[in-house]
Amino acid sequence: MIKVVKFGGSSLADADHFRQVAQIVQSDKIRHYVVASAPGKRFSSDIKVTDMLYRCYEMVRAHQNIDEYYEQIKQRYNDIIADLGLNFDISGELEYVKNAMLHASGRDYAASRGEYLNSLILAKYLGFSFIDAENVIMFKENGQFDAEYTQQLMQEELKKYEYAVIPGFYGSMPNGTIKTFSRGGSDVTGSIVAHAAGADLYENWTDVSGFMMADPRLVENPCAIETITYRELRELSYMGASVLHEDAIFPVRIAGIPINIRNTNRPEDAGTMIVATASSYDKQRIITGVAGRKGFSFINIEKDMMNAEVGFTRRILDVLEDYDLPIEHLPTGIDTISMVIPTAALEGKREKLLASIERRARPDSVVIEDGIAMIAVVGRGMTKSKGTAARVFTALAKAGINIRMIDQGSSELNIIIGVEEADYETAIGAIYHEFVK
Ligand code: ASP
């Protein structure tokens, strides 16, 4: 049995957190491979080391002196080492990184050093080997992650060590320069290592006890989700619930390795288990979660006998494609069709777009309506239990909310609802409380 464990920046922000991490890792001998982030925020106004490194890079480009600013970065690492009482001198590494930054080593290189340095310290503290991600995580010429080559290199390397720390977030381009994933990318590294190690579980340790059924900013103390499938997670993350990097799902999903989201500050909590399939669900709650986003617009089009006019929808879709507009949903009536579009995408295109639709499709009317929020009610249990939609709509009606759009995916995994932005918060609360009493 092998577990791969990844610790986020807040879990490695200072010496106290390092101690907690060591306790977690050492309490279970099958936690063989540890993926580490750069030191995150210690308090809410603090700055993540990754952001400090990006700042240094910008300063160098602007020909500003980084001496003083870089001292603060050094301080963060030296404080951790001193507080842990480690006999470890990292000053040579810190000088090397500074010099490289002063000599145009690139933006990704600068950012990647946050995880590199932190992982050196963590490996030392745990007594684990250190595997540099630059030798085992590869990108292709076009900048895409090279899954096959990485899998091969990583597998070979992991075989050499029983216990190791691997820095998250970065890898190498074919020419040897450092490239990072997008922000939060250590989650992706963790997933890649789990796949290569043939792990039984990928534990992702962060500062929350897993996914909540609803956004805690909108619902007080929402319940945690115990088990969620990859597909449900995708629906909820798309709608704004974020804990895990979107791309972190793919490598483990191929291999069928579950991900367990855990809280470093509350290791006693079970967290959320993300699995490929789950047949059971909570019969009391039925839904897995509810999430949403504001900032959508409808393009509403009407035309008598639309249903009989072959090619009408295609002509409209052609226009939208010409204007490079993504369509999120496409609800239709007999003589009406609407398109749900992110409002930001319409910027600067409105008049021309309307004129093009008039010209190409000759509708009776076409109008754009802004100020829409979209809500996704997600749950694998919905396929099996009757009356879920009725409960969602009754809860919204009781809360005095007018539903502007309804869409149910063919998988019956979700119900998507459009409401006025002003009703958004109330709607999320009403749906949540209908299912969680
Ligand atoms: N340190 C990087 C960031 O802040 C990557 C990570 O923590 O996952 O985005």
Side-chain angles (χ1 to χ4, degrees), residues 48-331:
K48 288 176 162 198
V49 167
T50 309
D51 290 310
M52 296 174 89
L53 289 162
Y54 278 127
R55 170 92 196 277
C56 269
Y57 170 79
E58 296 303 339
M59 288 169 80
V60 172
R61 271 177 50 116
H63 305 290
Q64 289 167 6
N65 185 305
I66 62 166
D67 289 352
E68 218 173 290
Y69 197 71
Y70 194 74
E71 276 308 308
Q72 295 179 40
I73 297 178
K74 278 180 161 174
Q75 192 71 43
R76 295 246 5 211
Y77 290 109
N78 283 326
D79 281 353
I80 293 173
I81 293 171
D83 279 8
L84 291 176
L86 268 182
N87 178 17
F88 185 46
D89 184 3
I90 201 169
S91 52
E93 291 282 353
L94 284 163
E95 270 324 292
Y96 184 94
V97 169
K98 184 179 174 188
N99 272 324
M101 290 211 291
L102 289 171
H103 294 93
S105 54
R107 188 171 187 269
D108 282 12
Y109 170 82
S112 74
R113 296 304 90 182
E115 342 307 274
Y116 171 77
L117 296 163
N118 221 24
S119 300
L120 285 178
I121 300 173
L122 185 61
K124 180 81 185 166
Y125 186 51
L126 293 173
F128 281 21
S129 304
F130 172 80
I131 299 177
D132 194 344
E134 78 169 48
N135 302 321
V136 281
I137 294 205
M138 296 295 151
F139 291 88
K140 297 181 193 165
E141 206 69 69
N142 64 7
Q144 269 179 0
F145 168 60
D146 191 340
E148 261 173 56
Y149 190 30
T150 298
Q151 171 78 355
Q152 186 192 328
L153 291 174
M154 182 79 83
Q155 260 179 345
E156 277 167 26
E157 194 67 8
L158 293 177
K159 267 192 228 142
K160 297 183 199 157
Y161 307 98
E162 197 180 356
Y163 294 101
V165 175
I166 303 120
F169 193 34
Y170 70 94
S172 293
M173 289 294 286
N175 67 3
T177 55
I178 297 286
K179 177 169 169 58
T180 66
F181 293 107
S182 57
R183 293 302 302 267
S186 299
D187 283 343
V188 186
T189 309
S191 183
I192 293 165
V193 175
H195 183 199
D200 300 277
L201 184 66
Y202 168 26
E203 282 179 349
N204 188 296
W205 292 82
T206 173
D207 55 3
V208 288
S209 294
F211 290 97
M212 303 293 132
M213 286 183 69
D215 186 339
R217 287 167 300 185
L218 305 181
V219 171
E220 211 185 307
N221 239 337
C223 295
I225 300 174
E226 267 172 46
T227 306
I228 188 168
T229 63
Y230 292 126
R231 282 184 61 196
E232 289 174 314
L233 178 63
R234 169 96 181 100
E235 310 257 356
L236 285 177
S237 331
Y238 174 74
M239 273 302 185
S242 75
V243 171
L244 191 70
H245 192 293
E246 250 196 316
D247 298 341
I249 292 178
F250 301 106
V252 281
R253 189 176 181 170
I254 303 171
I257 301 166
I259 308 174
N260 190 191
I261 307 287
R262 301 283 297 264
N263 188 345
T264 304
N265 305 316
R266 294 180 56 92
E268 63 280 11
D269 290 353
T272 299
M273 201 63 138
I274 309 167
V275 296
T277 53
S279 48
S280 63
Y281 62 95
D282 188 330
K283 304 269 184 309
Q284 293 288 304
R285 293 190 192 148
I286 300 175
I287 67 165
T288 303
V290 53
R293 268 193 283 154
K294 291 183 180 179
F296 290 96
S297 300
F298 287 147
I299 303 177
N300 294 325
I301 298 168
E302 280 187 33
K303 185 170 193 179
D304 275 345
M305 307 293 286
M306 178 193 290
N307 58 336
E309 189 180 320
V310 175
F312 183 79
T313 313
R314 180 186 49 75
R315 281 192 284 280
I316 292 171
L317 295 183
D318 277 347
V319 176
L320 279 132
E321 191 175 346
D322 289 348
Y323 284 87
D324 203 18
L325 289 172
I327 302 172
E328 305 273 337
H329 299 280
L330 197 81

Side-chain angles (χ1 to χ4, degrees), residues 297 323 325 341-351:
S297 300
Y323 284 87
L325 289 172
I341 315 260
T343 308
L346 290 167
E347 191 93 17
K349 300 178 181 170
R350 288 171 187 256
E351 258 88 81

